[in-house]
Amino acid sequence: MTAPKHIAIVGGGTAGWMTANLLRQRWARLGIEVTLIESADIGTIGVGEGSTPFLRQFFRTLGIAERDWMPACNATFKCGIRFPGWSSVPGYESYVHPFFNEADRELGNQFFTNACLRRRGQAADANPQDFFLAAELARQRRAPHYEVDAGLGTDYAYHFDAGLLGAFLRTHALGLGVRHIVDTVARVEQHDSGDIAALLLASGARVDADLFVDCSGFKGLLITETLGEPFHPYHDNLFNDRAIAIPTSLVEGEDIPSETVSTALRHGWAWQIPLTTRYGNGYVYSSGFVSDDEAERELREHLGAAAQGATARHLRMRVGCVKQHWRQNCVAIGLAQGFIEPLEATALMLIQFSVEHFITALEQDGFEPGRREAFNRRVAEMFEGVRDYVVAHYQLNTRRDTDYWRANRANRNISDRLASLLQVWDRGGDFEAALERHGAALMYLRPSWYALFAGMGRFAAELRPAAQAITAAQAKARLRLMAAAFSSHRNHLMGG
Ligand SMILES: Cc1cc2nc3c(=O)[nH]c(=O)nc-3n(C[C@H](O)[C@H](O)[C@H](O)COP(=O)(O)OP(=O)(O)OC[C@H]3O[C@@H](n4cnc5c(N)ncnc54)[C@H](O)[C@@H]3O)c2cc1C
């Protein structure tokens, strides 16, 4: 195959527009045309308001500055995720998965040392929220930006309105020359080889292309419904299959939080995502343990008066992924390729990585599809890596209030890799070596694994006194000093 002349993308959700931008940005110089078809009758999922730090790279690749896209999407900064209520271990009832900053080097190392001491039975302080700058910035509702440049790198992610981000990316893609058709794909025509030949639209129009990208959402119009690629559900690992979203108002004049809060409820967890204009809230839960009505009642109770009169949206989630993300002349991106429940807000990151790997795979072999298998292996590995990290949250929970949490903790359907990490941690073994052995397949780096295992309080109940490098109180005092050099989140966003 030579370079494709025409790529057709089905779907105008975040996945479709992210893909259209990345492909056109990269390949316009080769004269490759990109057409995106979206249906006016089939909506987008309309949620997905948090990111990982990798979204910064996405905007850099497109040459889009924060000042251009953030206000247009009511976006805020995200220093990390706080997890109240997942653990009942005293002192560890809430912890933070921080994004890591250059300024963390010293206290961060002391956290690793303390966590190792505690893992080996000594009473050293090891809650990550006491040692990482991002946790303190979030506590003080500051932006991850120094008021005066300190020459130290900070890492952070974003929150944004999913609908506005889609609209922003659409405008940008059209500016890059992406063709846009609003119509519904009614039928798909295939060659004898099985390759997709053309999309037949409800209006009677026909779109021929040599490469097709399936961004049609959970149903996987091309990859699953047309090409028959099997879907592998993760329900043995991850029980949640439903979500409810309810927006609430920001309190006028209040500082805007710079973190996502993911609070454990009785049958799942509730997200709270701050935008500049409102909060996005939702409840992710398992229909095997609670009815939709009961879940909505529980979420409303959690949100209190703020949710009164607000409309709830009920969503079904298809959790898992296809085995071959690239099959024949079709690659699936976004919900069509798979989805891991949104606990770590990883979906857009997987979209971005999948498209980037696809571009590399095609370019490396001069557009011969010989790298299809390697691409499929790497994308499967990424999904499994993220899945394991998310599953670990449920394994490590110490709640005793419902069957849901007990069943999650008792679930033995976890990967061998995760089982071995848990074992090494619990036995006081060489956790560093265990992490290194799995390398890039883990997706999450050493600090994230430490933050999760230690943050949940996964330590022996009986501890000996320790000669620790630094106590939580000393670390927090240092963090408070460091945080004073950062801007208020509200002022940074609103220019106040
Ligand atoms: C509860 C929940 C919370 C989430 N939170 C996060 C988060 O915090 N962070 C994150 O990164 N991700 C999150 N996600 C995932 C994120 O929302 C999606 O990955 C992202 O929006 C991409 O969706 P999509 O574009 O693949 O699909 P969709 O948004 O469903 O778009 C599908 C598109 O396909 C089109 N289409 C379908 N059929 C046809 C047809 N026959 N003809 C033409 N067009 C068609 C539709 O019109 C639509 O434009 C969350 C998801 C859920 C369910």
Short mmCIF file of all heavy atoms in Angstrom, two decimals, residues 249-305:
data_model
loop_
_atom_site.label_atom_id
_atom_site.label_comp_id
_atom_site.label_asym_id
_atom_site.label_seq_id
_atom_site.Cartn_x
_atom_site.Cartn_y
_atom_site.Cartn_z
N SER A 249 -23.97 23.99 40.17
CA SER A 249 -23.39 25.32 39.98
C SER A 249 -22.14 25.49 40.83
O SER A 249 -22.02 24.89 41.90
CB SER A 249 -24.37 26.39 40.42
OG SER A 249 -25.57 26.22 39.75
N LEU A 250 -21.26 26.36 40.37
CA LEU A 250 -20.15 26.81 41.22
C LEU A 250 -20.72 27.80 42.21
O LEU A 250 -21.69 28.49 41.90
CB LEU A 250 -19.11 27.56 40.39
CG LEU A 250 -18.13 26.81 39.52
CD1 LEU A 250 -17.19 27.81 38.87
CD2 LEU A 250 -17.34 25.80 40.33
N VAL A 251 -20.11 27.89 43.36
CA VAL A 251 -20.55 28.91 44.32
C VAL A 251 -19.90 30.22 43.89
O VAL A 251 -18.67 30.30 43.72
CB VAL A 251 -20.13 28.53 45.75
CG1 VAL A 251 -20.56 29.60 46.74
CG2 VAL A 251 -20.71 27.16 46.11
N GLU A 252 -20.74 31.23 43.67
CA GLU A 252 -20.29 32.54 43.19
C GLU A 252 -19.11 33.06 44.02
O GLU A 252 -19.18 33.09 45.26
CB GLU A 252 -21.48 33.51 43.29
CG GLU A 252 -21.30 34.86 42.62
CD GLU A 252 -21.13 34.75 41.11
OE1 GLU A 252 -21.80 33.89 40.48
OE2 GLU A 252 -20.34 35.53 40.58
N GLY A 253 -18.03 33.44 43.37
CA GLY A 253 -16.90 34.06 44.06
C GLY A 253 -15.97 33.08 44.77
O GLY A 253 -14.89 33.46 45.22
N GLU A 254 -16.37 31.83 44.86
CA GLU A 254 -15.55 30.83 45.58
C GLU A 254 -14.32 30.47 44.75
O GLU A 254 -14.38 30.47 43.52
CB GLU A 254 -16.41 29.58 45.79
CG GLU A 254 -15.81 28.55 46.71
CD GLU A 254 -16.66 27.27 46.72
OE1 GLU A 254 -16.67 26.56 45.70
OE2 GLU A 254 -17.30 27.02 47.75
N ASP A 255 -13.21 30.14 45.44
CA ASP A 255 -12.03 29.68 44.70
C ASP A 255 -12.37 28.42 43.93
O ASP A 255 -13.14 27.58 44.41
CB ASP A 255 -10.89 29.38 45.68
CG ASP A 255 -10.16 30.64 46.05
OD1 ASP A 255 -10.29 31.64 45.32
OD2 ASP A 255 -9.46 30.62 47.08
N ILE A 256 -11.77 28.25 42.77
CA ILE A 256 -12.09 27.08 41.94
C ILE A 256 -11.10 25.97 42.29
O ILE A 256 -9.89 26.18 42.24
CB ILE A 256 -11.99 27.44 40.44
CG1 ILE A 256 -12.99 28.55 40.12
CG2 ILE A 256 -12.23 26.22 39.57
CD1 ILE A 256 -12.85 29.11 38.73
N PRO A 257 -11.60 24.78 42.65
CA PRO A 257 -10.67 23.68 42.97
C PRO A 257 -9.78 23.35 41.77
O PRO A 257 -10.18 23.52 40.62
CB PRO A 257 -11.60 22.50 43.29
CG PRO A 257 -12.92 23.11 43.60
CD PRO A 257 -13.00 24.37 42.80
N SER A 258 -8.58 22.86 42.07
CA SER A 258 -7.67 22.46 40.98
C SER A 258 -7.38 20.96 41.05
O SER A 258 -6.26 20.52 40.82
CB SER A 258 -6.39 23.28 41.02
OG SER A 258 -5.83 23.30 42.31
N GLU A 259 -8.40 20.19 41.39
CA GLU A 259 -8.26 18.73 41.43
C GLU A 259 -9.62 18.10 41.10
O GLU A 259 -10.67 18.73 41.26
CB GLU A 259 -7.81 18.26 42.81
CG GLU A 259 -8.84 18.55 43.90
CD GLU A 259 -8.42 18.12 45.30
OE1 GLU A 259 -7.47 17.37 45.45
OE2 GLU A 259 -9.11 18.54 46.26
N THR A 260 -9.57 16.85 40.66
CA THR A 260 -10.78 16.04 40.56
C THR A 260 -10.95 15.36 41.90
O THR A 260 -9.97 14.92 42.51
CB THR A 260 -10.61 14.94 39.49
OG1 THR A 260 -10.38 15.54 38.22
CG2 THR A 260 -11.85 14.06 39.39
N VAL A 261 -12.20 15.25 42.37
CA VAL A 261 -12.45 14.49 43.60
C VAL A 261 -13.28 13.26 43.21
O VAL A 261 -14.31 13.39 42.55
CB VAL A 261 -13.19 15.33 44.65
CG1 VAL A 261 -13.42 14.52 45.92
CG2 VAL A 261 -12.38 16.58 44.98
N SER A 262 -12.81 12.09 43.59
CA SER A 262 -13.50 10.83 43.27
C SER A 262 -13.83 10.11 44.57
O SER A 262 -13.01 9.36 45.11
CB SER A 262 -12.61 9.96 42.38
OG SER A 262 -12.36 10.63 41.16
N THR A 263 -15.03 10.35 45.05
CA THR A 263 -15.43 9.89 46.38
C THR A 263 -16.09 8.52 46.29
O THR A 263 -17.04 8.33 45.51
CB THR A 263 -16.45 10.88 46.99
OG1 THR A 263 -15.91 12.20 46.91
CG2 THR A 263 -16.77 10.54 48.43
N ALA A 264 -15.63 7.59 47.11
CA ALA A 264 -16.27 6.27 47.13
C ALA A 264 -17.64 6.40 47.77
O ALA A 264 -17.79 6.99 48.85
CB ALA A 264 -15.41 5.29 47.91
N LEU A 265 -18.68 5.88 47.08
CA LEU A 265 -20.03 5.81 47.66
C LEU A 265 -20.32 4.33 47.92
O LEU A 265 -19.42 3.50 47.92
CB LEU A 265 -21.05 6.44 46.71
CG LEU A 265 -20.84 7.94 46.39
CD1 LEU A 265 -21.99 8.48 45.54
CD2 LEU A 265 -20.69 8.78 47.65
N ARG A 266 -21.59 3.98 48.11
CA ARG A 266 -21.88 2.60 48.54
C ARG A 266 -21.69 1.56 47.44
O ARG A 266 -21.33 0.43 47.69
CB ARG A 266 -23.31 2.53 49.08
CG ARG A 266 -23.44 3.19 50.46
CD ARG A 266 -24.88 3.34 50.89
NE ARG A 266 -25.60 2.07 50.92
CZ ARG A 266 -25.46 1.12 51.85
NH1 ARG A 266 -24.59 1.30 52.82
NH2 ARG A 266 -26.16 0.02 51.79
N HIS A 267 -21.89 1.95 46.18
CA HIS A 267 -21.82 0.96 45.10
C HIS A 267 -20.96 1.44 43.94
O HIS A 267 -21.21 1.08 42.78
CB HIS A 267 -23.24 0.64 44.60
CG HIS A 267 -24.15 0.22 45.70
ND1 HIS A 267 -25.04 1.09 46.30
CD2 HIS A 267 -24.25 -0.95 46.35
CE1 HIS A 267 -25.68 0.45 47.26
NE2 HIS A 267 -25.22 -0.78 47.32
N GLY A 268 -20.01 2.27 44.22
CA GLY A 268 -19.14 2.81 43.18
C GLY A 268 -18.52 4.10 43.68
O GLY A 268 -18.27 4.24 44.88
N TRP A 269 -18.32 5.03 42.79
CA TRP A 269 -17.66 6.27 43.21
C TRP A 269 -18.24 7.45 42.43
O TRP A 269 -18.72 7.30 41.31
CB TRP A 269 -16.15 6.17 42.98
CG TRP A 269 -15.77 5.88 41.57
CD1 TRP A 269 -15.70 4.65 40.97
CD2 TRP A 269 -15.47 6.84 40.55
NE1 TRP A 269 -15.36 4.79 39.64
CE2 TRP A 269 -15.21 6.12 39.36
CE3 TRP A 269 -15.37 8.23 40.51
CZ2 TRP A 269 -14.86 6.74 38.16
CZ3 TRP A 269 -15.03 8.86 39.31
CH2 TRP A 269 -14.78 8.10 38.17
N ALA A 270 -18.16 8.62 43.06
CA ALA A 270 -18.73 9.83 42.45
C ALA A 270 -17.61 10.78 42.07
O ALA A 270 -16.69 11.02 42.86
CB ALA A 270 -19.65 10.51 43.45
N TRP A 271 -17.68 11.31 40.84
CA TRP A 271 -16.68 12.30 40.44
C TRP A 271 -17.20 13.71 40.66
O TRP A 271 -18.41 13.95 40.58
CB TRP A 271 -16.24 12.11 38.99
CG TRP A 271 -17.16 12.59 37.91
CD1 TRP A 271 -17.33 13.88 37.48
CD2 TRP A 271 -18.03 11.80 37.08
NE1 TRP A 271 -18.23 13.93 36.44
CE2 TRP A 271 -18.69 12.68 36.18
CE3 TRP A 271 -18.32 10.43 37.01
CZ2 TRP A 271 -19.60 12.23 35.22
CZ3 TRP A 271 -19.23 10.00 36.06
CH2 TRP A 271 -19.86 10.88 35.18
N GLN A 272 -16.29 14.61 40.94
CA GLN A 272 -16.60 16.04 40.95
C GLN A 272 -15.49 16.74 40.18
O GLN A 272 -14.31 16.68 40.56
CB GLN A 272 -16.67 16.59 42.37
CG GLN A 272 -17.17 18.04 42.36
CD GLN A 272 -16.85 18.77 43.66
OE1 GLN A 272 -15.73 18.75 44.15
NE2 GLN A 272 -17.86 19.41 44.22
N ILE A 273 -15.89 17.38 39.09
CA ILE A 273 -14.92 18.02 38.19
C ILE A 273 -15.25 19.50 38.10
O ILE A 273 -16.35 19.87 37.66
CB ILE A 273 -14.95 17.34 36.81
CG1 ILE A 273 -14.29 15.96 36.93
CG2 ILE A 273 -14.28 18.20 35.75
CD1 ILE A 273 -14.16 15.20 35.64
N PRO A 274 -14.34 20.39 38.52
CA PRO A 274 -14.63 21.82 38.47
C PRO A 274 -14.31 22.42 37.10
O PRO A 274 -13.22 22.23 36.57
CB PRO A 274 -13.68 22.39 39.52
CG PRO A 274 -12.52 21.42 39.54
CD PRO A 274 -13.03 20.09 39.10
N LEU A 275 -15.28 23.12 36.52
CA LEU A 275 -15.02 23.94 35.33
C LEU A 275 -15.10 25.40 35.76
O LEU A 275 -15.40 25.69 36.92
CB LEU A 275 -16.06 23.63 34.24
CG LEU A 275 -16.25 22.16 33.88
CD1 LEU A 275 -17.25 22.02 32.73
CD2 LEU A 275 -14.92 21.53 33.48
N THR A 276 -14.89 26.32 34.84
CA THR A 276 -14.96 27.74 35.25
C THR A 276 -16.40 28.18 35.45
O THR A 276 -16.66 29.23 36.04
CB THR A 276 -14.29 28.66 34.21
OG1 THR A 276 -14.88 28.38 32.93
CG2 THR A 276 -12.79 28.46 34.15
N THR A 277 -17.36 27.39 34.94
CA THR A 277 -18.77 27.81 35.00
C THR A 277 -19.66 26.91 35.83
O THR A 277 -20.78 27.27 36.13
CB THR A 277 -19.34 27.81 33.57
OG1 THR A 277 -18.99 26.54 32.99
CG2 THR A 277 -18.78 28.93 32.75
N ARG A 278 -19.22 25.70 36.12
CA ARG A 278 -20.06 24.74 36.84
C ARG A 278 -19.19 23.58 37.32
O ARG A 278 -18.01 23.50 36.95
CB ARG A 278 -21.17 24.20 35.93
CG ARG A 278 -20.62 23.42 34.75
CD ARG A 278 -21.71 22.64 34.02
NE ARG A 278 -21.24 22.09 32.76
CZ ARG A 278 -20.57 20.95 32.61
NH1 ARG A 278 -20.24 20.22 33.66
NH2 ARG A 278 -20.19 20.54 31.41
N TYR A 279 -19.83 22.68 38.09
CA TYR A 279 -19.20 21.39 38.38
C TYR A 279 -19.83 20.32 37.50
O TYR A 279 -21.05 20.31 37.31
CB TYR A 279 -19.45 20.97 39.84
CG TYR A 279 -18.63 21.69 40.87
CD1 TYR A 279 -19.21 22.62 41.72
CD2 TYR A 279 -17.28 21.43 41.02
CE1 TYR A 279 -18.47 23.29 42.69
CE2 TYR A 279 -16.52 22.08 41.98
CZ TYR A 279 -17.12 23.00 42.81
OH TYR A 279 -16.36 23.65 43.75
N GLY A 280 -19.00 19.44 36.98
CA GLY A 280 -19.53 18.19 36.42
C GLY A 280 -19.47 17.17 37.54
O GLY A 280 -18.44 17.04 38.20
N ASN A 281 -20.59 16.48 37.77
CA ASN A 281 -20.61 15.43 38.80
C ASN A 281 -21.17 14.17 38.18
O ASN A 281 -21.96 14.23 37.23
CB ASN A 281 -21.55 15.79 39.96
CG ASN A 281 -21.28 17.17 40.50
OD1 ASN A 281 -20.34 17.37 41.24
ND2 ASN A 281 -22.10 18.14 40.11
N GLY A 282 -20.83 13.06 38.77
CA GLY A 282 -21.42 11.82 38.28
C GLY A 282 -21.13 10.69 39.23
O GLY A 282 -20.29 10.81 40.13
N TYR A 283 -21.86 9.60 39.01
CA TYR A 283 -21.72 8.40 39.84
C TYR A 283 -21.46 7.24 38.89
O TYR A 283 -22.24 6.99 37.97
CB TYR A 283 -23.01 8.20 40.63
CG TYR A 283 -23.01 7.10 41.68
CD1 TYR A 283 -21.84 6.48 42.11
CD2 TYR A 283 -24.21 6.71 42.27
CE1 TYR A 283 -21.87 5.50 43.09
CE2 TYR A 283 -24.25 5.72 43.26
CZ TYR A 283 -23.08 5.11 43.65
OH TYR A 283 -23.10 4.14 44.62
N VAL A 284 -20.37 6.53 39.09
CA VAL A 284 -20.03 5.35 38.31
C VAL A 284 -20.30 4.15 39.20
O VAL A 284 -19.75 4.07 40.31
CB VAL A 284 -18.55 5.41 37.88
CG1 VAL A 284 -18.14 4.13 37.17
CG2 VAL A 284 -18.31 6.61 36.97
N TYR A 285 -21.15 3.21 38.76
CA TYR A 285 -21.56 2.14 39.67
C TYR A 285 -21.84 0.87 38.88
O TYR A 285 -21.80 0.86 37.64
CB TYR A 285 -22.81 2.57 40.47
CG TYR A 285 -23.99 2.90 39.60
CD1 TYR A 285 -24.99 1.96 39.36
CD2 TYR A 285 -24.11 4.15 39.00
CE1 TYR A 285 -26.08 2.25 38.55
CE2 TYR A 285 -25.19 4.45 38.19
CZ TYR A 285 -26.17 3.49 37.97
OH TYR A 285 -27.24 3.80 37.16
N SER A 286 -22.14 -0.18 39.64
CA SER A 286 -22.37 -1.47 39.01
C SER A 286 -23.85 -1.85 39.10
O SER A 286 -24.41 -1.91 40.20
CB SER A 286 -21.53 -2.54 39.71
OG SER A 286 -22.00 -3.82 39.37
N SER A 287 -24.46 -2.16 37.95
CA SER A 287 -25.88 -2.53 37.94
C SER A 287 -26.08 -3.89 38.61
O SER A 287 -27.20 -4.26 38.92
CB SER A 287 -26.41 -2.57 36.51
OG SER A 287 -25.72 -3.55 35.78
N GLY A 288 -25.01 -4.62 38.83
CA GLY A 288 -25.12 -5.90 39.53
C GLY A 288 -25.36 -5.72 41.02
O GLY A 288 -25.70 -6.68 41.72
N PHE A 289 -25.17 -4.50 41.52
CA PHE A 289 -25.26 -4.29 42.97
C PHE A 289 -26.30 -3.26 43.37
O PHE A 289 -26.67 -3.19 44.54
CB PHE A 289 -23.89 -3.88 43.52
CG PHE A 289 -22.89 -4.99 43.50
CD1 PHE A 289 -22.16 -5.27 42.35
CD2 PHE A 289 -22.67 -5.78 44.62
CE1 PHE A 289 -21.24 -6.30 42.31
CE2 PHE A 289 -21.75 -6.82 44.59
CZ PHE A 289 -21.04 -7.08 43.43
N VAL A 290 -26.74 -2.42 42.44
CA VAL A 290 -27.69 -1.35 42.81
C VAL A 290 -28.53 -0.99 41.58
O VAL A 290 -28.03 -1.07 40.44
CB VAL A 290 -26.92 -0.12 43.36
CG1 VAL A 290 -26.04 0.54 42.31
CG2 VAL A 290 -27.86 0.91 43.98
N SER A 291 -29.78 -0.62 41.82
CA SER A 291 -30.64 -0.23 40.69
C SER A 291 -30.30 1.21 40.27
O SER A 291 -29.72 1.98 41.05
CB SER A 291 -32.11 -0.30 41.11
OG SER A 291 -32.38 0.74 42.03
N ASP A 292 -30.73 1.57 39.05
CA ASP A 292 -30.46 2.93 38.57
C ASP A 292 -31.14 3.98 39.46
O ASP A 292 -30.56 5.03 39.75
CB ASP A 292 -30.96 3.09 37.12
CG ASP A 292 -30.21 2.17 36.16
OD1 ASP A 292 -29.10 1.72 36.52
OD2 ASP A 292 -30.74 1.88 35.07
N ASP A 293 -32.37 3.67 39.90
CA ASP A 293 -33.10 4.64 40.74
C ASP A 293 -32.39 4.85 42.08
O ASP A 293 -32.24 5.98 42.56
CB ASP A 293 -34.54 4.15 41.01
CG ASP A 293 -35.38 4.27 39.75
OD1 ASP A 293 -34.92 4.93 38.81
OD2 ASP A 293 -36.48 3.69 39.73
N GLU A 294 -31.98 3.73 42.66
CA GLU A 294 -31.31 3.81 43.97
C GLU A 294 -29.97 4.57 43.82
O GLU A 294 -29.60 5.39 44.67
CB GLU A 294 -31.08 2.39 44.50
CG GLU A 294 -30.30 2.28 45.81
CD GLU A 294 -30.93 3.05 46.97
OE1 GLU A 294 -32.15 3.27 46.94
OE2 GLU A 294 -30.17 3.45 47.89
N ALA A 295 -29.29 4.30 42.71
CA ALA A 295 -28.01 4.99 42.48
C ALA A 295 -28.24 6.50 42.34
O ALA A 295 -27.48 7.32 42.88
CB ALA A 295 -27.32 4.43 41.24
N GLU A 296 -29.30 6.87 41.62
CA GLU A 296 -29.57 8.31 41.46
C GLU A 296 -29.89 8.94 42.82
O GLU A 296 -29.42 10.05 43.13
CB GLU A 296 -30.72 8.55 40.47
CG GLU A 296 -30.89 10.04 40.21
CD GLU A 296 -31.95 10.39 39.17
OE1 GLU A 296 -32.18 9.60 38.23
OE2 GLU A 296 -32.56 11.48 39.31
N ARG A 297 -30.67 8.21 43.63
CA ARG A 297 -30.97 8.74 44.98
C ARG A 297 -29.68 8.95 45.77
O ARG A 297 -29.49 9.97 46.43
CB ARG A 297 -31.86 7.74 45.75
CG ARG A 297 -33.34 8.13 45.74
CD ARG A 297 -34.11 7.37 46.82
NE ARG A 297 -34.06 5.94 46.69
CZ ARG A 297 -34.79 5.23 45.82
NH1 ARG A 297 -35.65 5.84 45.02
NH2 ARG A 297 -34.67 3.92 45.74
N GLU A 298 -28.78 7.95 45.66
CA GLU A 298 -27.53 8.04 46.41
C GLU A 298 -26.67 9.22 45.94
O GLU A 298 -26.10 9.95 46.76
CB GLU A 298 -26.76 6.73 46.21
CG GLU A 298 -25.90 6.33 47.39
CD GLU A 298 -25.00 5.14 47.04
OE1 GLU A 298 -25.39 4.27 46.24
OE2 GLU A 298 -23.88 5.11 47.59
N LEU A 299 -26.64 9.42 44.62
CA LEU A 299 -25.84 10.54 44.09
C LEU A 299 -26.44 11.87 44.54
O LEU A 299 -25.73 12.79 44.96
CB LEU A 299 -25.77 10.47 42.56
CG LEU A 299 -25.03 11.65 41.89
CD1 LEU A 299 -23.57 11.75 42.37
CD2 LEU A 299 -25.06 11.51 40.36
N ARG A 300 -27.77 11.98 44.46
CA ARG A 300 -28.42 13.24 44.87
C ARG A 300 -28.16 13.53 46.35
O ARG A 300 -27.92 14.68 46.73
CB ARG A 300 -29.91 13.21 44.56
CG ARG A 300 -30.20 13.32 43.06
CD ARG A 300 -31.68 13.48 42.77
NE ARG A 300 -31.91 13.56 41.34
CZ ARG A 300 -31.75 14.66 40.59
NH1 ARG A 300 -31.36 15.79 41.17
NH2 ARG A 300 -31.96 14.64 39.30
N GLU A 301 -28.21 12.47 47.14
CA GLU A 301 -27.94 12.65 48.57
C GLU A 301 -26.50 13.14 48.78
O GLU A 301 -26.23 14.05 49.56
CB GLU A 301 -28.13 11.30 49.26
CG GLU A 301 -28.30 11.36 50.75
CD GLU A 301 -28.41 9.95 51.30
OE1 GLU A 301 -29.18 9.14 50.74
OE2 GLU A 301 -27.70 9.65 52.27
N HIS A 302 -25.58 12.57 48.02
CA HIS A 302 -24.17 12.96 48.10
C HIS A 302 -23.98 14.42 47.70
O HIS A 302 -23.22 15.16 48.32
CB HIS A 302 -23.36 12.03 47.20
CG HIS A 302 -21.94 12.44 46.99
ND1 HIS A 302 -20.99 12.42 47.99
CD2 HIS A 302 -21.29 12.89 45.87
CE1 HIS A 302 -19.83 12.84 47.51
NE2 HIS A 302 -19.98 13.13 46.23
N LEU A 303 -24.72 14.87 46.67
CA LEU A 303 -24.53 16.24 46.17
C LEU A 303 -25.30 17.27 46.99
O LEU A 303 -24.98 18.46 46.98
CB LEU A 303 -24.96 16.33 44.70
CG LEU A 303 -24.14 15.49 43.71
CD1 LEU A 303 -24.76 15.54 42.32
CD2 LEU A 303 -22.69 15.99 43.65
N GLY A 304 -26.34 16.81 47.69
CA GLY A 304 -27.09 17.70 48.57
C GLY A 304 -27.91 18.72 47.80
O GLY A 304 -28.32 18.50 46.65
N ALA A 305 -28.11 19.90 48.41
CA ALA A 305 -29.00 20.92 47.87
C ALA A 305 -28.58 21.35 46.47
O ALA A 305 -29.41 21.72 45.63
CB ALA A 305 -29.03 22.12 48.81
#
